[in-house]
Amino acid sequence: MTKLDGDLDPLWQDLDWAIGQMLIMGWDGTEVTPQIRHLIEDHHIGSILLTAKNLKSAHQTAKLVQELQTIAHQAGHPQPLLIALDQENGGVNSLFDEDYICQFPSSMGQAAAGSADLAYNVAKATATEVSAVGVNLILGPVLDVLTNARYQPLGVRATSDDPQEVSQYGIAAMNGYKDAGLATCGKHFPSYGNLDFLGSSLDIPIITQTLEELSLSALVPFRNAIATGNLDAMFVGGCGIANPSMNVNHACLSDQVVDDLLRNELGFNGVAISECLEMEALRTEIGVKTGTVMAVEAGCDLVLLCRAYDVQLEAISGLKLGVENELLTRDRVYTSLKRILRMKNSCTSWAKALNPPGVSLLSKIHPSHLALSLKAYDDSITVMRDNEKLLPLNESLHQEEELLLLTPLVKPLPASSMTKTILESKGKTENTSTLHDKWIHRDRGAIMSGEGVFRELGRSLARARHGKLLHTSYTANGVRPVHENLIHRASCIIIVTADANRNLYQAGFAKHIAMMCSMLKAGGQKKSLVVVAVSSPYDFAMDKSVGTYVCTFDFTETAMFALVRALFGDFKPQGTLPGTLRKSKKVLKSRQHWLVEAYNPDRDNRGLDDLLKALARASAPNHQYLQTTSASAFELFNPNIEEAHFVVRNSSTQALYGFCATYYTKGTGIIGAIFVDPVKRNVSIGRSLHRRALRGLTQRAGIKKVQLGMCYPGVFPGIPVEDGAGLKSWFASSGWDLQFPKRITNMVITSLNTWSAPEGLLQSIQRASISFDLIHGLDNAESVLNHIATHANPEVFELYKYALQETKTCGVVRAKSAGDSLLGTVIICSPGSSLSNYIPSLHPNGGELIGGIIAPIVPSTVQANLILQGLALMGVRQNKAHKSARSVLSWVCDEMYEPLLAMGFEVLQAFDEVTNAPENWSGLG
């Protein structure tokens, strides 16, 4: 049994064995070769990467993996091999078997479907299938943010250009993989979503963003995924980085990227996997031997060598030489080894590795997975524009009219029936013609490479029209006479594009055809035009000259089947555009009004809990307290605070799409929370809730001010600062004056065991003759309540009353002068206090006990800073006495910030509380 703590088992003390575990290797071929056997048996390679070149079918894959594991077992490997696979879905799958392995949409396609639950189910289904053939490590999820989406080759493999949306769907996929028993690997750190390409074959793409820019966008999904604790490994890219603070040739060879940024700054403790070191730029510039050592020095644990046997031997030699030359210490090697063994323990065992269930399991789950696949593709099909109401085609196109399909030449997907057919028929010639061949009109000559990719799409369209279809390809040669002739014949033209922004001939061809159709229509002819983007939705997203624009997000057979069904009205496409493309339609959707209902706890409690969890998944790590926030946090049942909460809900499914909590006390109306399901944003749900909330508040008699943010309950004391300008601009456009917000901060001492009071603080307090006492209950609290009523908002007054009545776990510390005058107050609560239900930042963190110091109220005087520090010190002492591991100081006003920082408190969350006059919204009544 492998020990992960303390000393390693004797076998692992053998440096050859340890080094073998630090390499992940692959090869070309569908059978075990002498070379890969030699690497496993004699060099103790502990991890294998399988690609489409290794895999013919599910049955063959299961046998191949079983053979690899048997070789390792017989060679004395203490633990099974890691078997890694890229199975991202969409166009990037390594394993294809139409009888047993289901095809699902790409990451962007899943986001277009608009359901993180669907993404989770797809990931779990995918992981279950590849696990059945013996895979235990999936190279996913893709966590890249498409910062410059239109021109990036990553394309639909990434979710979108919105960091929070990428986080939400990436984490959903990661959880699906984990729940199916696989180890997970986020990629491609620090980002493949905004690369500059320099042109030469030896050049590598580079990231030019600053670390600050990366932190605000590209790193957000990685940070959020790491914060969940479910990410086992991280794939570190081979791109370069060039910015004022970092000049790196290859990210995976840089300690600034792996050790400093990934491990120290983002807190990643899992296995770091390097990009394949066989890339030409690295081999030419550094050499694989040195590169392998540099990767481990940088902090990588597994070094990837994809297929070349001589290069793989060179890498093994390099690591051994690195230890001999003392570039790598044994401790460094064993640190990586322990991480790798820990991951192996989490995802495999010999019993599992030697007996993959294979097709016996796959045949049982295939029907349900196939139904999920069809639903996912149907849900992903997106109609971005249909200005002329051409869809469905069976309603706008008469049967006697001609339909023309124009498709580009693209390479078949590696894992597809087309590729399988090409491989099986290699060397054969087609001597028979089909009905579809008679419908195809093309230049004479043999079918060009890539022309057959859309042949089945043509056949499906022909079937939908009872055989009536014209179909030909187009190339970089532009519009030819054959195209012009067919366009004159057709009443409707469908042009297919695949990444037209990177294949500019497609964009030029489509625009030329659009112009031709416009001119012919002006002459009285019927020339309807539909453009279908079968990969990146950015092809014509902003080009309004294309009036009907449909996106499928990949061109797999299943996607094309869904496309035909959508075009001919079998279902109405409901997909939405990813990221900022969805937001670009905001103006079109801004007139949408949602039915807002009063919150009903019996009906909506569970839906609100689910909504809070969805919000937590899409939030920054420092707002992960939302994971343990429940619906009950918003219900105060306080006779002095009137409550009215609202929801937008799906009455059929009972799901909540949005929630707004409002309160009214002593002339102040408060919006204490307003939030929308992350996948339902930008369709006016928030505005509908906001409008209803303000109408209710401004109609109350005696209303003096309207406030955004609240300390009791303290789920949202204001607008979260970390969410940046987006939220602020939303509230500003909704009528709020945000010029002078009140900054509210939650602060923390993360370790009370190591914290000590600043030197000289106690002596300063004593010299100022300030004393402190702790009171419980309302009997002796008149002076405290008078103090709060004078110096704080009404809801703070009610918060203090609640704390004073909670005598077992809460109290109030008073600061008094030598003459017994009250100088300041603060609430103290011990771990487990019921107050934590209303102030979620006090929730236990993984079982860690948290003490609370809440709402310090200190009037502005010469001694204010000293009084505040004294109150905080008394609070920390009380928290320590109750065995708290950390102290959270909640609801700190901006003028108190600096004195508390000086005491060692750190910022946990920051919010902007905003107060406006009610007449700002007088027109809402």
Side-chain angles (χ1 to χ4, degrees), residues 749-797:
I749 293 175
T750 54
S751 175
L752 289 179
N753 288 334
T754 58
W755 182 86
S756 59
E759 189 175 347
L761 177 58
L762 282 172
Q763 292 86 337
S764 297
I765 291 170
Q766 289 167 356
R767 283 196 298 271
S769 300
I770 301 171
S771 61
F772 301 89
D773 66 358
L774 175 65
I775 66 167
H776 302 275
L778 292 172
D779 293 342
N780 301 314
E782 184 177 356
S783 63
V784 170
L785 294 177
N786 287 337
H787 172 76
I788 303 303
T790 303
H791 299 290
N793 291 345
E795 78 272 14
V796 182
F797 181 86

Short mmCIF file of all heavy atoms in Angstrom, two decimals, residues 749-797:
data_model
loop_
_atom_site.label_atom_id
_atom_site.label_comp_id
_atom_site.label_asym_id
_atom_site.label_seq_id
_atom_site.Cartn_x
_atom_site.Cartn_y
_atom_site.Cartn_z
N ILE A 749 -9.58 37.88 10.58
CA ILE A 749 -8.28 37.38 11.04
C ILE A 749 -8.33 35.88 10.81
O ILE A 749 -9.13 35.17 11.43
CB ILE A 749 -8.05 37.70 12.54
CG1 ILE A 749 -7.90 39.21 12.74
CG2 ILE A 749 -6.79 36.98 13.04
CD1 ILE A 749 -7.78 39.63 14.19
N THR A 750 -7.51 35.41 9.88
CA THR A 750 -7.66 34.03 9.42
C THR A 750 -7.14 33.01 10.43
O THR A 750 -7.57 31.86 10.41
CB THR A 750 -6.91 33.82 8.08
OG1 THR A 750 -5.56 34.25 8.24
CG2 THR A 750 -7.56 34.63 6.98
N SER A 751 -6.23 33.39 11.30
CA SER A 751 -5.71 32.45 12.30
C SER A 751 -5.56 33.16 13.64
O SER A 751 -4.61 33.93 13.84
CB SER A 751 -4.36 31.87 11.84
OG SER A 751 -3.81 31.05 12.86
N LEU A 752 -6.49 32.88 14.53
CA LEU A 752 -6.41 33.50 15.86
C LEU A 752 -5.26 32.94 16.67
O LEU A 752 -4.74 33.60 17.58
CB LEU A 752 -7.74 33.29 16.62
CG LEU A 752 -8.94 34.09 16.09
CD1 LEU A 752 -10.17 33.77 16.91
CD2 LEU A 752 -8.66 35.58 16.12
N ASN A 753 -4.85 31.70 16.35
CA ASN A 753 -3.75 31.08 17.11
C ASN A 753 -2.45 31.84 16.95
O ASN A 753 -1.63 31.90 17.88
CB ASN A 753 -3.55 29.62 16.66
CG ASN A 753 -4.67 28.73 17.14
OD1 ASN A 753 -5.30 29.02 18.15
ND2 ASN A 753 -4.93 27.64 16.42
N THR A 754 -2.24 32.42 15.78
CA THR A 754 -0.96 33.10 15.53
C THR A 754 -1.07 34.62 15.64
O THR A 754 -0.07 35.32 15.52
CB THR A 754 -0.44 32.74 14.12
OG1 THR A 754 -1.43 33.12 13.15
CG2 THR A 754 -0.20 31.24 14.00
N TRP A 755 -2.30 35.12 15.82
CA TRP A 755 -2.49 36.57 15.87
C TRP A 755 -2.15 37.13 17.25
O TRP A 755 -2.40 36.49 18.28
CB TRP A 755 -3.94 36.92 15.53
CG TRP A 755 -4.21 38.41 15.51
CD1 TRP A 755 -4.04 39.26 14.48
CD2 TRP A 755 -4.69 39.21 16.60
NE1 TRP A 755 -4.38 40.54 14.82
CE2 TRP A 755 -4.79 40.53 16.13
CE3 TRP A 755 -5.04 38.93 17.93
CZ2 TRP A 755 -5.22 41.59 16.94
CZ3 TRP A 755 -5.48 39.98 18.73
CH2 TRP A 755 -5.57 41.28 18.24
N SER A 756 -1.57 38.30 17.28
CA SER A 756 -1.33 38.99 18.55
C SER A 756 -1.65 40.47 18.37
O SER A 756 -1.58 41.01 17.26
CB SER A 756 0.13 38.81 19.02
OG SER A 756 1.02 39.31 18.03
N ALA A 757 -1.99 41.11 19.46
CA ALA A 757 -2.37 42.52 19.41
C ALA A 757 -1.17 43.38 19.01
O ALA A 757 -0.02 43.07 19.36
CB ALA A 757 -2.89 42.98 20.77
N PRO A 758 -1.40 44.46 18.26
CA PRO A 758 -0.30 45.36 17.90
C PRO A 758 0.41 45.88 19.14
O PRO A 758 -0.23 46.17 20.16
CB PRO A 758 -1.00 46.49 17.15
CG PRO A 758 -2.27 45.89 16.65
CD PRO A 758 -2.68 44.89 17.68
N GLU A 759 1.72 45.98 19.02
CA GLU A 759 2.53 46.42 20.16
C GLU A 759 2.10 47.83 20.60
O GLU A 759 1.94 48.74 19.79
CB GLU A 759 4.00 46.42 19.75
CG GLU A 759 4.95 46.65 20.91
CD GLU A 759 6.41 46.53 20.49
OE1 GLU A 759 6.66 46.03 19.37
OE2 GLU A 759 7.28 46.94 21.27
N GLY A 760 1.88 47.99 21.90
CA GLY A 760 1.56 49.29 22.47
C GLY A 760 0.08 49.63 22.49
O GLY A 760 -0.31 50.66 23.06
N LEU A 761 -0.79 48.77 21.88
CA LEU A 761 -2.22 49.09 21.81
C LEU A 761 -2.84 49.12 23.20
O LEU A 761 -3.56 50.06 23.56
CB LEU A 761 -2.94 48.09 20.91
CG LEU A 761 -4.47 48.27 20.82
CD1 LEU A 761 -4.83 49.66 20.30
CD2 LEU A 761 -5.09 47.18 19.92
N LEU A 762 -2.54 48.11 24.02
CA LEU A 762 -3.14 48.04 25.36
C LEU A 762 -2.71 49.24 26.20
O LEU A 762 -3.53 49.84 26.92
CB LEU A 762 -2.74 46.73 26.06
CG LEU A 762 -3.53 45.49 25.61
CD1 LEU A 762 -2.91 44.24 26.20
CD2 LEU A 762 -4.99 45.60 26.03
N GLN A 763 -1.45 49.60 26.10
CA GLN A 763 -0.95 50.74 26.87
C GLN A 763 -1.64 52.04 26.43
O GLN A 763 -1.99 52.88 27.27
CB GLN A 763 0.58 50.88 26.70
CG GLN A 763 1.36 49.74 27.34
CD GLN A 763 1.52 48.54 26.41
OE1 GLN A 763 0.73 48.35 25.49
NE2 GLN A 763 2.55 47.72 26.68
N SER A 764 -1.86 52.21 25.13
CA SER A 764 -2.53 53.41 24.64
C SER A 764 -3.97 53.48 25.16
O SER A 764 -4.47 54.56 25.53
CB SER A 764 -2.55 53.41 23.10
OG SER A 764 -1.24 53.46 22.59
N ILE A 765 -4.63 52.33 25.20
CA ILE A 765 -6.01 52.28 25.71
C ILE A 765 -6.04 52.65 27.20
O ILE A 765 -6.90 53.43 27.65
CB ILE A 765 -6.62 50.88 25.48
CG1 ILE A 765 -6.84 50.65 23.98
CG2 ILE A 765 -7.93 50.73 26.24
CD1 ILE A 765 -7.22 49.22 23.63
N GLN A 766 -5.06 52.11 27.94
CA GLN A 766 -5.02 52.41 29.39
C GLN A 766 -4.73 53.89 29.63
O GLN A 766 -5.34 54.52 30.50
CB GLN A 766 -3.96 51.53 30.06
CG GLN A 766 -4.37 50.06 30.14
CD GLN A 766 -3.21 49.15 30.51
OE1 GLN A 766 -2.07 49.60 30.65
NE2 GLN A 766 -3.50 47.87 30.66
N ARG A 767 -3.81 54.47 28.86
CA ARG A 767 -3.48 55.89 29.04
C ARG A 767 -4.69 56.78 28.73
O ARG A 767 -4.87 57.85 29.31
CB ARG A 767 -2.31 56.28 28.13
CG ARG A 767 -0.95 55.80 28.65
CD ARG A 767 0.19 56.52 27.95
NE ARG A 767 0.20 56.27 26.50
CZ ARG A 767 0.85 55.25 25.94
NH1 ARG A 767 1.54 54.40 26.69
NH2 ARG A 767 0.83 55.08 24.63
N ALA A 768 -5.53 56.33 27.80
CA ALA A 768 -6.71 57.13 27.44
C ALA A 768 -7.87 56.90 28.41
O ALA A 768 -8.94 57.49 28.24
CB ALA A 768 -7.14 56.77 26.02
N SER A 769 -7.65 56.02 29.42
CA SER A 769 -8.68 55.72 30.43
C SER A 769 -9.96 55.20 29.81
O SER A 769 -11.07 55.56 30.21
CB SER A 769 -8.98 56.98 31.27
OG SER A 769 -7.82 57.43 31.93
N ILE A 770 -9.80 54.33 28.80
CA ILE A 770 -10.97 53.70 28.16
C ILE A 770 -11.14 52.32 28.78
O ILE A 770 -10.18 51.55 28.87
CB ILE A 770 -10.77 53.58 26.65
CG1 ILE A 770 -10.54 54.95 26.00
CG2 ILE A 770 -11.97 52.91 25.99
CD1 ILE A 770 -10.11 54.88 24.55
N SER A 771 -12.34 52.03 29.21
CA SER A 771 -12.63 50.71 29.77
C SER A 771 -13.70 50.02 28.93
O SER A 771 -14.41 50.65 28.15
CB SER A 771 -13.12 50.84 31.21
OG SER A 771 -14.32 51.58 31.26
N PHE A 772 -13.81 48.70 29.11
CA PHE A 772 -14.74 47.91 28.30
C PHE A 772 -15.49 46.93 29.20
O PHE A 772 -14.95 46.44 30.19
CB PHE A 772 -13.98 47.11 27.23
CG PHE A 772 -13.18 47.96 26.29
CD1 PHE A 772 -11.86 48.30 26.58
CD2 PHE A 772 -13.73 48.45 25.12
CE1 PHE A 772 -11.11 49.08 25.73
CE2 PHE A 772 -12.99 49.23 24.26
CZ PHE A 772 -11.68 49.55 24.55
N ASP A 773 -16.75 46.67 28.84
CA ASP A 773 -17.48 45.60 29.50
C ASP A 773 -18.39 44.92 28.48
O ASP A 773 -18.62 45.43 27.39
CB ASP A 773 -18.27 46.10 30.71
CG ASP A 773 -19.38 47.06 30.34
OD1 ASP A 773 -19.53 47.38 29.14
OD2 ASP A 773 -20.11 47.51 31.25
N LEU A 774 -18.85 43.73 28.86
CA LEU A 774 -19.69 42.91 27.98
C LEU A 774 -21.05 42.75 28.63
O LEU A 774 -21.14 42.35 29.80
CB LEU A 774 -19.03 41.54 27.77
CG LEU A 774 -19.82 40.50 26.96
CD1 LEU A 774 -20.01 40.96 25.51
CD2 LEU A 774 -19.11 39.14 27.00
N ILE A 775 -22.11 43.08 27.90
CA ILE A 775 -23.45 42.94 28.47
C ILE A 775 -24.30 42.01 27.62
O ILE A 775 -24.07 41.83 26.42
CB ILE A 775 -24.16 44.31 28.61
CG1 ILE A 775 -24.44 44.92 27.21
CG2 ILE A 775 -23.37 45.27 29.47
CD1 ILE A 775 -25.39 46.10 27.26
N HIS A 776 -25.28 41.37 28.28
CA HIS A 776 -26.24 40.49 27.60
C HIS A 776 -27.64 40.93 28.01
O HIS A 776 -27.86 41.42 29.13
CB HIS A 776 -26.04 39.04 28.03
CG HIS A 776 -24.66 38.51 27.77
ND1 HIS A 776 -24.27 37.98 26.56
CD2 HIS A 776 -23.57 38.44 28.58
CE1 HIS A 776 -23.01 37.60 26.64
NE2 HIS A 776 -22.56 37.87 27.86
N GLY A 777 -28.61 40.72 27.15
CA GLY A 777 -29.99 40.99 27.48
C GLY A 777 -30.35 42.46 27.34
O GLY A 777 -29.49 43.34 27.24
N LEU A 778 -31.66 42.74 27.37
CA LEU A 778 -32.16 44.10 27.17
C LEU A 778 -32.27 44.89 28.47
O LEU A 778 -32.46 46.11 28.44
CB LEU A 778 -33.53 44.05 26.50
CG LEU A 778 -33.55 43.54 25.05
CD1 LEU A 778 -34.98 43.35 24.57
CD2 LEU A 778 -32.82 44.52 24.14
N ASP A 779 -32.13 44.23 29.63
CA ASP A 779 -32.37 44.90 30.90
C ASP A 779 -31.42 46.07 31.13
O ASP A 779 -31.84 47.12 31.64
CB ASP A 779 -32.25 43.90 32.06
CG ASP A 779 -33.35 42.85 32.02
OD1 ASP A 779 -34.37 43.10 31.32
OD2 ASP A 779 -33.20 41.79 32.65
N ASN A 780 -30.13 45.89 30.80
CA ASN A 780 -29.14 46.93 31.05
C ASN A 780 -28.67 47.61 29.76
O ASN A 780 -27.57 48.14 29.70
CB ASN A 780 -27.91 46.32 31.76
CG ASN A 780 -28.31 45.67 33.07
OD1 ASN A 780 -29.05 46.24 33.86
ND2 ASN A 780 -27.82 44.45 33.29
N ALA A 781 -29.54 47.57 28.72
CA ALA A 781 -29.09 47.98 27.40
C ALA A 781 -29.63 49.32 26.95
O ALA A 781 -29.45 49.69 25.79
CB ALA A 781 -29.47 46.90 26.39
N GLU A 782 -30.25 50.08 27.85
CA GLU A 782 -30.86 51.33 27.41
C GLU A 782 -29.84 52.27 26.80
O GLU A 782 -30.07 52.88 25.75
CB GLU A 782 -31.58 52.01 28.58
CG GLU A 782 -32.33 53.27 28.17
CD GLU A 782 -33.09 53.90 29.33
OE1 GLU A 782 -33.10 53.31 30.44
OE2 GLU A 782 -33.66 54.98 29.14
N SER A 783 -28.69 52.39 27.44
CA SER A 783 -27.67 53.32 26.92
C SER A 783 -27.16 52.86 25.56
O SER A 783 -26.87 53.67 24.67
CB SER A 783 -26.50 53.43 27.91
OG SER A 783 -25.85 52.17 28.05
N VAL A 784 -27.03 51.53 25.38
CA VAL A 784 -26.56 50.99 24.10
C VAL A 784 -27.56 51.29 23.00
O VAL A 784 -27.21 51.78 21.91
CB VAL A 784 -26.33 49.46 24.21
CG1 VAL A 784 -26.09 48.85 22.82
CG2 VAL A 784 -25.13 49.17 25.11
N LEU A 785 -28.85 51.05 23.27
CA LEU A 785 -29.87 51.26 22.24
C LEU A 785 -30.02 52.74 21.91
O LEU A 785 -30.25 53.10 20.75
CB LEU A 785 -31.20 50.66 22.70
CG LEU A 785 -31.19 49.12 22.83
CD1 LEU A 785 -32.53 48.61 23.36
CD2 LEU A 785 -30.87 48.46 21.49
N ASN A 786 -29.88 53.59 22.91
CA ASN A 786 -29.91 55.03 22.63
C ASN A 786 -28.73 55.43 21.74
O ASN A 786 -28.86 56.25 20.83
CB ASN A 786 -29.87 55.83 23.94
CG ASN A 786 -31.19 55.75 24.69
OD1 ASN A 786 -32.24 55.49 24.09
ND2 ASN A 786 -31.15 55.96 26.00
N HIS A 787 -27.57 54.85 22.03
CA HIS A 787 -26.35 55.11 21.25
C HIS A 787 -26.56 54.69 19.79
O HIS A 787 -26.23 55.44 18.85
CB HIS A 787 -25.20 54.32 21.89
CG HIS A 787 -23.92 54.33 21.11
ND1 HIS A 787 -23.08 55.41 21.04
CD2 HIS A 787 -23.34 53.35 20.33
CE1 HIS A 787 -22.03 55.11 20.29
NE2 HIS A 787 -22.17 53.87 19.84
N ILE A 788 -27.15 53.51 19.57
CA ILE A 788 -27.35 53.01 18.21
C ILE A 788 -28.41 53.84 17.49
O ILE A 788 -28.25 54.19 16.31
CB ILE A 788 -27.78 51.52 18.24
CG1 ILE A 788 -26.73 50.68 18.97
CG2 ILE A 788 -27.98 51.00 16.82
CD1 ILE A 788 -25.33 50.78 18.41
N ALA A 789 -29.48 54.18 18.18
CA ALA A 789 -30.54 54.98 17.57
C ALA A 789 -30.01 56.34 17.11
O ALA A 789 -30.47 56.89 16.11
CB ALA A 789 -31.69 55.17 18.55
N THR A 790 -29.03 56.87 17.82
CA THR A 790 -28.47 58.18 17.49
C THR A 790 -27.48 58.11 16.34
O THR A 790 -27.43 59.01 15.49
CB THR A 790 -27.77 58.78 18.73
OG1 THR A 790 -28.69 58.85 19.80
CG2 THR A 790 -27.22 60.17 18.43
N HIS A 791 -26.68 57.05 16.29
CA HIS A 791 -25.54 57.02 15.38
C HIS A 791 -25.63 56.00 14.24
O HIS A 791 -24.68 55.88 13.46
CB HIS A 791 -24.26 56.74 16.18
CG HIS A 791 -23.95 57.78 17.21
ND1 HIS A 791 -23.54 59.05 16.89
CD2 HIS A 791 -24.02 57.73 18.58
CE1 HIS A 791 -23.34 59.74 17.99
NE2 HIS A 791 -23.63 58.98 19.03
N ALA A 792 -26.74 55.25 14.12
CA ALA A 792 -26.80 54.21 13.09
C ALA A 792 -28.19 54.15 12.46
O ALA A 792 -29.14 54.74 12.96
CB ALA A 792 -26.43 52.84 13.68
N ASN A 793 -28.29 53.41 11.38
CA ASN A 793 -29.55 53.24 10.66
C ASN A 793 -30.52 52.37 11.45
O ASN A 793 -30.11 51.60 12.33
CB ASN A 793 -29.29 52.59 9.30
CG ASN A 793 -28.55 53.50 8.35
OD1 ASN A 793 -28.46 54.72 8.59
ND2 ASN A 793 -27.99 52.93 7.29
N PRO A 794 -31.80 52.43 11.12
CA PRO A 794 -32.81 51.66 11.88
C PRO A 794 -32.57 50.16 11.88
O PRO A 794 -32.82 49.49 12.89
CB PRO A 794 -34.12 52.01 11.16
CG PRO A 794 -33.87 53.31 10.50
CD PRO A 794 -32.43 53.32 10.13
N GLU A 795 -32.09 49.62 10.75
CA GLU A 795 -31.90 48.16 10.74
C GLU A 795 -30.74 47.73 11.63
O GLU A 795 -30.70 46.62 12.14
CB GLU A 795 -31.70 47.64 9.29
CG GLU A 795 -30.32 47.86 8.69
CD GLU A 795 -30.19 49.20 7.99
OE1 GLU A 795 -31.06 50.08 8.21
OE2 GLU A 795 -29.21 49.37 7.23
N VAL A 796 -29.74 48.64 11.85
CA VAL A 796 -28.66 48.34 12.78
C VAL A 796 -29.21 48.29 14.20
O VAL A 796 -28.81 47.45 15.02
CB VAL A 796 -27.53 49.40 12.66
CG1 VAL A 796 -26.38 49.05 13.59
CG2 VAL A 796 -27.05 49.49 11.21
N PHE A 797 -30.13 49.17 14.50
CA PHE A 797 -30.79 49.18 15.81
C PHE A 797 -31.47 47.83 16.06
O PHE A 797 -31.33 47.24 17.15
CB PHE A 797 -31.84 50.31 15.83
CG PHE A 797 -32.57 50.44 17.13
CD1 PHE A 797 -32.05 51.20 18.18
CD2 PHE A 797 -33.79 49.81 17.31
CE1 PHE A 797 -32.74 51.32 19.38
CE2 PHE A 797 -34.49 49.93 18.51
CZ PHE A 797 -33.96 50.69 19.55
#
